[in-house]
Amino acid sequence: ETLYKAMKGLGTDEDSIMNLLTSRSNDQRQKIKAAYKTLHGKDLVSDLKGELGGKFESLIVGLMAPPILYDVTSLRHAIKGAGTDEKVLVEILSSRTPQQIKDIIAAYRQEYDADLEKDITGDTSGHFERLLVILLQVRGQILEVKEADAQALFNAGEKKFGTDEEQFITILGNRSAAHLRKVFDAYMKLAGYEMEESIQRETSGSLRDLLLAVVKCARSVPAYFAETLFNSLKGAGTDDQTLIRVMVSRSEVDMLDIRANYRRLFACSLYSSIKDSAGRFRDV
């Protein structure tokens, strides 16, 4: 009823919409959406789209989507829009758990009657495509061979003239986060470099971005998203789409940990950074 009153008549009470929806969980928002349809015979999301606009609309509509469906929609737009938004593919596929990846694949098929892997391979190429496909599979533990993996990575990069990208892709794409953290420790002892330093030197372009994301997420998903948010806020303009996507998708997952990592890494609060850089999102 509060939302209906905020949207009927002349003008829209955006503050009421914002204050109500951002103070409810996603599960509660789904129940509100169902009750709205029962009471008024209208789709709440459609009404919100009709009343709101711009970045605020994107934020509110994103909050109204179930989490898996939000990921699925983001991936679809990244693949089927004008050009390919590699940033979205990197962010989602490197950071989600194996179970979430399985749920995303199933939901993508149900929502679009299409195969996510086929859509990705039809829109990407080369080593970048291969690693994305590997990330869509279930990754294993293999905890007992961390030194062998570290040696193979060293041989494929720092020790070699040129780079054997296939080894980086195979090892970093197929191992679990717990195993990779042990590999990184062994690699540091062997090579004298952090894994990220070698990737920066040995690879480039979208593949480098994806490999770095895999490594950073294996170390700490909240720290990865803290850095993602920092990069979206720095500079002359704000990367609003990334800011919206991360705030919506992580709001009920690990936002408190992201905030703590943001302060640790950048010596300022996420709140103050958003307030300074994001304009319309100030009150949220």
Side-chain angles (χ1 to χ4, degrees):
E1 286 301 325
T2 300
L3 291 169
Y4 182 74
K5 289 173 184 174
M7 290 186 282
K8 75 174 186 177
L10 290 174
T12 303
D13 186 352
E14 293 185 351
D15 285 340
S16 291
I17 294 171
M18 180 175 63
N19 291 334
L20 189 145
L21 293 178
T22 57
S23 62
R24 302 295 186 272
S25 69
N26 191 278
D27 183 61
Q28 288 171 324
R29 289 193 288 268
Q30 302 315 310
K31 292 173 181 173
I32 291 167
K33 182 162 62 176
Y36 188 93
K37 192 155 197 172
T38 300
L39 287 169
H40 301 291
K42 301 170 80 176
D43 181 69
L44 175 55
V45 175
S46 294
D47 280 0
L48 288 166
K49 286 180 177 178
E51 295 292 328
L52 307 175
K55 293 174 279 190
F56 186 57
E57 176 191 335
S58 298
L59 174 61
I60 292 298
V61 170
L63 288 170
M64 291 304 304
I68 292 296
L69 185 57
Y70 185 70
D71 279 351
V72 163
T73 304
S74 297
L75 287 168
R76 181 71 172 187
H77 290 163
I79 297 166
K80 295 300 182 182
T84 305
D85 192 341
E86 288 93 352
K87 185 185 297 184
V88 176
L89 300 179
V90 168
E91 179 191 302
I92 293 176
L93 297 184
S94 65
S95 65
R96 301 313 191 248
T97 66
Q99 185 58 54
Q100 286 172 329
I101 294 292
K102 288 174 68 175
D103 292 343
I104 286 168
I105 292 169
Y108 190 93
R109 182 177 293 281
Q110 182 175 353
E111 189 70 15
Y112 299 110
D113 191 26
D115 183 87
L116 178 57
E117 182 177 324
K118 284 185 179 177
D119 281 356
I120 286 176
T121 58
D123 217 50
T124 58
S125 61
H127 295 302
F128 181 63
E129 173 198 331
R130 176 163 153 68
L131 182 50
L132 287 172
V133 170
I134 288 173
L135 293 176
L136 289 172
Q137 319 306 315
V138 177
R139 290 187 264 179
Q141 293 285 328
I142 326 177
L143 287 170
E144 69 278 5
V145 293
K146 58 185 184 296
E147 288 82 10
D149 279 350
Q151 185 67 57
L153 288 167
F154 181 67
N155 293 344
E158 298 288 353
K159 194 176 178 182
K160 182 182 177 67
F161 182 75
T163 306
D164 182 357
E165 289 92 348
E166 285 293 328
Q167 277 284 35
F168 280 83
I169 290 167
T170 299
I171 293 172
L172 297 179
N174 282 298
R175 308 298 193 254
S176 71
H179 175 73
L180 285 177
R181 287 193 291 273
K182 295 178 183 296
V183 172
F184 301 155
D185 290 341
Y187 187 87
M188 181 66 185
K189 291 176 183 175
L190 175 67
Y193 300 111
E194 294 289 4
M195 192 72 248
E196 293 90 330
E197 295 177 82
S198 291
I199 290 171
Q200 287 278 14
R201 276 198 298 274
E202 299 292 333
T203 61
S204 62
S206 296
L207 175 64
R208 177 175 64 188
D209 294 340
L210 184 53
L211 287 168
L212 285 172
V214 169
V215 171
K216 289 173 183 178
C217 286
R219 291 192 190 277
S220 169
V221 171
Y224 167 73
F225 279 113
E227 184 178 348
T228 301
L229 286 169
F230 178 79
N231 290 334
S232 77
L233 293 165
K234 73 177 184 180
T238 302
D239 180 354
D240 296 309
Q241 291 309 309
T242 296
L243 177 60
I244 292 169
R245 193 172 56 250
V246 174
M247 295 300 289
V248 168
S249 65
R250 310 310 293 186
S251 60
E252 295 178 44
V253 181
D254 51 6
M255 186 53 68
L256 292 177
D257 293 330
I258 290 171
R259 285 171 56 185
N261 277 276
Y262 193 96
R263 183 176 287 279
R264 175 180 64 82
L265 291 168
F266 306 112
C268 61
S269 75
L270 177 57
Y271 175 90
S272 64
S273 293
I274 291 176
K275 188 173 180 181
D276 290 344
S277 301
R280 182 65 190 91
F281 298 99
R282 180 162 312 190
D283 296 323
V284 182

